[in-house]
Amino acid sequence: MTMPPIHINQIELADRWKISPRTLERWRWAGQGPAFVKLGGRVVYSLEAIEAYERGRVCQSTLQGTALRKAS
């Protein structure tokens, strides 16, 4: 049996990452950050998309982190 996808809202994601919800809004506007789903006026993020985004941001050095920021 397949588990239904888990979604969290922008407030919950901001709390998870210890950032401002406005940062997530700015990222969405700029086409950055994890993929999101818009349901009516609600924005939610699938846990799968969040974890994929986090995996894609793993760095082995400061230089890698700088390259990721420039690519964003």
Side-chain angles (χ1 to χ4, degrees):
M1 185 169 169
T2 309
M3 295 288 293
I6 298 171
H7 291 87
I8 64 174
N9 64 34
Q10 115 176 349
I11 302 297
E12 293 165 324
L13 180 55
D15 187 51
R16 174 185 175 121
W17 287 349
K18 307 294 186 252
I19 62 173
S20 166
R22 297 283 292 161
T23 298
L24 292 169
E25 291 172 8
R26 191 173 60 251
W27 287 356
R28 284 195 308 272
W29 183 84
Q32 299 173 324
F36 62 93
V37 178
K38 189 143 187 184
L39 303 169
R42 282 184 61 215
V43 171
V44 294
Y45 298 85
S46 73
L47 190 54
E48 182 179 331
I50 293 165
E51 290 173 346
Y53 183 78
E54 290 170 344
R55 282 189 302 274
R57 304 295 292 185
V58 173
C59 301
Q60 298 296 321
S61 71
T62 304
L63 185 59
Q64 257 186 316
T66 303
L68 281 174
R69 281 191 301 281
K70 287 181 182 178
S72 294

